[in-house]
Amino acid sequence: MIGSPDEEQLTPELWGTAMILTVGGFLSMFTSTVVTVALGTIAAGFRASLGTAQWIATGYLLALAAMVPVSGWACRRFGTTRVWLVCVGLFAVFSALCAAAPSVEALIAFRVLQGAAGGLLVPAGQILFATMVGPKRLGRMMAVLSIPIYLAPVLGTLAGSVLAERFGVPWLFLVNVPLALLCLLLGRKRLPREGPADTRPLDWRGLALTVTGLPLLVYGFAEAAPIASGAGAILLAVFVVTALRSPAPLLDLRLFRDRTFSSARG
């Protein structure tokens, strides 16, 4: 059955709105690479060891991973557009705070907060993108709009050295602020508004297990720390057991029991 023209047409308005969401996702990946490339310069600027400075990148990634499971509940509870707009605004605020950090310890703390905002920002943008585009147009638009996302590590590698050496460490973070503010302003005008779809309370037990287990697992693999990765795996295993028994889990893993869903994944 052939869809209607409205379901398949790629309008300029749709492209413009999709680009806003793409830039939001680009920011989260770009800042990760920019900072990683310039860790040596950052460590020297704060007179800190490279091992300590490494937590500026690691803390961001761990917070990013820890908040992804929360994104589904947050979007249902508060509305996807609202979550995306708030996270873009927080991303800009925490980027500015990173630029103004007086010490390496403060920078690590602000980077964790920045990563938490990014961990909600990216999934919320993906949900909005898929909802707005629809299944008939998703493939064609993804083929084009995924290019900036894939270029983010490349551009971050090039920009990291240039920004740190020619403009100073604060500009590694300040470069995010105008793009984030532009996304925020345009998003308030262009993105659809929707109300909460689910008012169920947050699964705090599941949240505690995932925000500790997932970062430990990621850290353990990244740093070759078997105790951390083992502890993370155990906590996530406990989460799986409790999620399958809970009536309102943080992540509904019972979906994997559905034969149709399993067949689609295969």
Side-chain angles (χ1 to χ4, degrees), residues 4 40 57 80 141 158 161 163 171 196 212 214 229 236 259 262:
S4 66
T80 309
M141 295 199 72
L158 297 174
S161 301
L163 290 172
W171 281 98
T212 54
L214 192 56
S229 57
L236 290 178
R259 187 171 300 177
S262 301

Side-chain angles (χ1 to χ4, degrees), residues 144-222:
V144 177
L145 295 178
S146 60
I147 294 176
I149 303 298
Y150 292 133
L151 285 178
V154 178
L155 296 176
T157 301
L158 297 174
S161 301
V162 174
L163 290 172
E165 294 177 5
R166 296 190 179 183
F167 299 97
V169 169
W171 281 98
L172 294 169
F173 310 101
L174 288 176
V175 69
N176 298 319
V177 176
L179 285 176
L181 291 178
L182 180 62
C183 285
L184 182 61
L185 293 174
L186 294 177
R188 286 175 58 87
K189 295 180 179 180
R190 302 288 296 272
L191 295 180
R193 294 291 192 272
E194 82 286 357
D198 191 347
T199 58
R200 289 181 296 178
L202 179 63
D203 177 15
W204 290 103
R205 180 172 57 181
L207 176 63
L209 290 170
T210 53
V211 299
T212 54
L214 192 56
L216 279 173
L217 186 65
V218 173
Y219 172 78
F221 282 119

Side-chain angles (χ1 to χ4, degrees), residues 76-87:
R76 293 191 302 269
R77 179 65 179 83
F78 302 105
T80 309
T81 297
R82 180 179 296 178
V83 170
W84 191 88
L85 291 173
V86 169
C87 288

Side-chain angles (χ1 to χ4, degrees), residues 4 37 53-54 82 95 129 138 146 164 206 220 234 252 262 265-266:
S4 66
V37 170
Q54 182 65 42
R82 180 179 296 178
S95 294
F129 182 84
L138 185 59
S146 60
I234 292 173
D252 192 357
S262 301
R265 289 173 56 244

